[in-house]
């Protein structure tokens, strides 16, 4: 498979710029703790449809991209710092319209089937994304948003990279949904973003002061993962329902959700297929979104609104217990994430800042979730039809990383699983696991 050829690269500015209120957006602890991680990289695959007419579709996308950026001033800005008199530093987004990156590329020898038919995600997919090799901290000098439109032999791939200290998964897809809406001719956004940071009843200071000595020691995390295989496993609505019913029956209850049942099933299956010490402790990192759990936080809030929580269990527990008991522990962990708990975590970070790194995640035998099947992926029609697949870039990958998306069919879920070749082969030969997967 031949590589990707760059046709053009340019900085795109907002069609018209905002002045005044949105010139500066403060970063919250939810944003700041991600500074040393990589950005979010997600992309959509489209069939040829109406996109083969020269470069017209690229020019059309650039124009709608610029119009959409008018509503999202942070995405054309840069991260910035302010030196304060008390030997502290604050980070913020300078909405200076420095520009978002737009790359037009071609991969004439690559077809849609080359991407979706192989058992494992082909490595060329990583070349469909811009701004590779950066951390969020690099947003001080690099664009906070980059888009690469790659024309394939019989389709196109739209890859998007967004600085994770500026946006979480919900905000990422909010922007993509808005861009596709604008591309179809909408003048006004159906869901304009909210940048206001005055939630929690204004009881918390949002001008976060970090000791200068602490900032001076920041070293961007250039984490290089071992060689991993990436595979998309598809779970139908019917099979997910069976997993949920089974999990709840095993604990004689009805509290376990479909997602908790699916994640517990995945975790147990991965651990079952690894060579591990039975007494070794495994850690599951679960991302909890806060928008639906905090009454003061708007659904359209643009920024990070999430918290990592951890569930720890020994290998022998994960192998011997029924999946329902694992899911019930996950359910209890999620239920404990109350408004008071989120506020406590928020204030605790301000008092003692700590930045997450991939090295810190991978030091505890993790299984890590990312994204969500609740995001609107397949509604993104830019004017030539809906996407047929979604794929991820290369950043923030490690052994045991699970990235969840809604499937094409309503109620189904696709999970990109990153594992070593040995573990991936073992799980593919595990009938108990594969019987729940729809090929």
């Amino acid at each position: 498979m031949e590589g990707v050829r760059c046709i053009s690269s340019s900085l795109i500015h907002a069609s018209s710029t905002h002045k005044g209120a949105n010139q500066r957006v403060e970063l919250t602890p939810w944003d700041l703790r991600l500074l040393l991680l990589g950005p979010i990289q997600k992309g959509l695959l489209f069939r040829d449809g109406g996109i083969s007419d020269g470069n017209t579709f690229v020019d059309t996308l650039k124009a709608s991209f610029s119009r959409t950026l008018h509503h999202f001033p942070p995405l054309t800005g840069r991260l910035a710092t302010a030196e304060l008199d008390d030997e502290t530093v604050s980070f913020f987004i300078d909405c200076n319209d420095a520009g978002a990156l737009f790359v037009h590329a071609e991969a004439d020898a690559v077809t849609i089937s080359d991407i979706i038919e192989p058992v494992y995600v082909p490595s060329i997919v990583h070349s469909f994304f811009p701004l590779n090799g950066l951390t969020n901290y690099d947003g001080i000098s690099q664009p906070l948003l980059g888009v690469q439109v790659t024309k394939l032999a019989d389709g196109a791939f739209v890859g998007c990279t967004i600085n994770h200290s500026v946006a979480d998964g919900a905000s990422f897809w909010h922007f993509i949904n808005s861009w596709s809406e604008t591309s179809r001719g909408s003048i006004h956004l159906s869901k304009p973003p909210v940048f206001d940071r005055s939630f929690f009843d204004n009881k918390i200071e949002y001008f976060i002061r970090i000791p200068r000595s602490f900032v001076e020691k920041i070293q961007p995390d250039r984490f290089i993962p071992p060689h991993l295989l990436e595979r998309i496993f598809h779970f139908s609505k019917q099979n997910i329902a069976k997993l949920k019913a089974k999990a709840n029956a095993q604990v004689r209850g009805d509290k376990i959700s479909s997602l908790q049942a699916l994640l517990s099933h995945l975790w147990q299956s991965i651990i079952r297929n690894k060579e591990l010490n039975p007494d070794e402790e495994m850690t599951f990192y679960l991302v909890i979104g806060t928008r639906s759990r905090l009454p003061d936080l708007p659904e359209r809030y643009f920024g990070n609104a999430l918290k990592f929580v951890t569930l720890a269990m020994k290998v022998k527990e994960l192998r011997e217990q029924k999946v329902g008991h694992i899911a019930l522990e996950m359910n209890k962990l999620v239920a404990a994430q109350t408004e008071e708990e989120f506020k406590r975590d928020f204030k605790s970070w301000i008092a003692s800042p700590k930045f997450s790194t991939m090295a810190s995640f991978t030091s505890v035998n993790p299984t890590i979730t990312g994204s969500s099947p609740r995001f609107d992926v397949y509604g993104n029609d830019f004017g030539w039809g809906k996407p047929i697949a979604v794929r991820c870039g290369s950043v923030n990958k490690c052994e045991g990383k699970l990235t969840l998306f809604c499937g094409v069919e309503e109620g189904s879920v696709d999970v990109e699983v990153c594992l070593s070749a040995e573990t991936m082969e073992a799980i593919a030969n595990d009938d108990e696991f594969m019987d729940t997967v729809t090929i």
Side-chain angles (χ1 to χ4, degrees):
M1 214 184 298
E2 294 184 19
V4 177
R5 183 175 72 261
C6 178
I7 304 301
S8 65
S9 178
S10 58
L11 289 175
I12 304 297
H13 303 278
S15 58
S16 59
T17 57
H18 289 266
K19 299 295 182 183
N22 288 327
Q23 281 298 292
R24 172 171 172 151
V25 175
E26 302 296 337
L27 296 182
T28 74
W30 293 328
D31 305 316
L32 290 166
R33 66 181 13 148
L34 303 175
L35 276 173
L36 303 188
L37 294 177
I40 299 175
Q41 291 187 320
K42 303 290 185 292
L44 299 170
L45 179 65
F46 296 88
R47 295 196 187 280
D48 208 333
I51 61 178
S52 59
D53 183 19
N55 295 329
T56 303
F57 87 101
V58 175
D59 294 334
T60 301
L61 275 180
K62 277 186 179 181
S64 63
F65 186 58
S66 176
R67 292 197 302 274
T68 309
L69 289 172
H70 165 77
H71 302 281
F72 293 84
L75 294 181
T76 59
R78 298 291 184 269
L79 296 187
T81 59
E83 298 277 342
L84 307 176
D85 294 337
D86 59 352
E87 296 296 317
T88 62
V89 176
S90 71
F91 285 84
F92 62 95
I93 305 169
D94 182 2
C95 301
N96 57 7
D97 196 33
L101 180 65
F102 191 103
V103 178
H104 174 202
E106 290 186 356
D108 296 338
V110 180
T111 65
I112 286 175
S113 60
D114 289 332
I115 297 172
I116 63 176
E117 289 187 1
V119 173
Y120 305 118
V121 178
S123 59
I124 196 171
V125 169
H126 295 166
S127 301
F128 295 161
F129 293 88
L131 302 175
N132 286 310
L134 300 180
T135 65
N136 300 313
Y137 183 76
D138 293 318
I140 289 176
S141 59
Q142 297 293 325
L144 303 180
L145 167 64
V147 165
Q148 179 174 318
V149 180
T150 304
K151 182 69 174 66
L152 309 177
D154 55 354
F157 190 93
V158 179
C160 185
T161 301
I162 285 185
N163 190 297
H164 207 338
S165 285
V166 175
D168 60 7
S171 294
F172 176 99
W173 289 108
H174 185 178
F175 171 75
I176 299 297
N177 298 159
S178 299
W179 182 19
S180 66
E181 182 180 29
T182 302
S183 293
R184 294 194 305 274
S186 295
I187 298 175
H188 303 290
L189 296 186
S190 60
K191 296 180 179 179
V194 176
F195 303 104
D196 181 35
R197 263 48 178 169
S198 60
F199 43 85
F200 287 165
D201 300 322
N202 293 308
K203 293 178 181 177
I204 296 178
E205 180 184 7
Y206 298 102
F207 191 73
I208 310 299
R209 297 169 181 263
I210 300 175
R212 184 179 301 164
S213 58
F214 193 85
V215 175
E216 289 171 350
K217 295 177 182 178
I218 289 179
Q219 294 293 328
D221 183 22
R222 307 300 181 185
F223 174 76
I224 300 177
H227 177 67
L228 300 170
L229 295 178
E230 302 168 23
R231 179 170 177 177
I232 309 295
F233 291 101
H234 179 71
F235 297 88
S236 67
K237 181 179 180 179
Q238 294 76 17
N239 283 355
I240 294 173
K242 290 177 183 177
L243 285 171
K244 177 182 177 180
K246 177 182 177 181
N248 277 298
Q250 288 171 344
V251 296
R252 298 180 181 180
D254 59 2
K255 295 181 179 179
I256 296 170
S257 70
S258 297
L259 186 57
Q260 290 161 5
L262 176 60
L263 291 176
S264 298
H265 172 65
L266 280 160
W267 191 23
Q268 187 181 57
S269 299
I270 291 171
I271 299 305
R272 185 170 60 241
N273 287 285
K274 282 177 173 283
E275 294 290 334
L276 297 166
N277 183 327
D279 291 321
E280 194 172 352
E281 190 169 76
M282 298 289 106
T283 303
F284 192 99
Y285 281 93
L286 188 65
V287 179
I288 305 292
T290 63
R291 286 173 178 81
S292 62
R293 293 173 171 85
L294 295 174
D296 296 333
L297 197 61
E299 180 185 356
R300 294 179 285 107
Y301 171 76
F302 193 89
N304 284 280
L306 52 82
K307 177 187 176 185
F308 280 103
V309 296
T310 58
L311 177 61
M313 298 181 73
K314 290 189 175 181
V315 170
K316 60 185 177 183
E317 293 178 291
L318 287 165
R319 288 176 176 170
E320 295 171 3
Q321 288 193 11
K322 296 183 183 300
V323 72
H325 291 94
I326 300 170
L328 185 59
E329 292 303 310
M330 192 176 292
N331 176 272
K332 292 177 182 176
L333 179 65
V334 173
Q337 306 310 308
T338 61
E339 180 181 358
E340 291 70 26
E341 181 61 26
F342 284 124
K343 289 182 179 181
R344 190 180 303 114
D345 176 68
F346 204 94
K347 293 178 180 178
S348 175
W349 197 94
I350 295 173
S352 180
K354 183 178 181 180
F355 299 101
S356 298
T357 64
M358 287 303 295
S360 65
F361 282 127
T362 58
S363 64
V364 289
N365 299 310
T367 300
I368 305 174
T369 60
S371 197
S372 168
R374 297 185 179 92
F375 298 148
D376 179 9
V377 172
Y378 291 99
N380 291 294
D381 181 352
F382 287 86
W384 60 78
K386 294 182 178 181
I388 60 171
V390 57
R391 293 294 185 265
C392 303
S394 61
V395 299
N396 298 332
K397 294 289 179 69
C398 65
E399 170 85 5
K401 177 68 179 293
L402 310 176
T403 306
L404 292 85
F405 300 101
C406 60
V408 177
E409 307 88 15
E410 182 181 355
S412 65
V413 174
D414 289 337
V415 185
E416 183 197 73
V417 179
C418 297
L419 293 170
S420 66
E422 182 181 21
T423 305
M424 189 71 83
E425 182 180 358
I427 201 171
N429 291 317
D430 182 343
D431 291 340
E432 184 177 348
F433 174 73
M434 293 303 294
D435 283 347
T436 65
V437 176
T438 303
I439 303 299

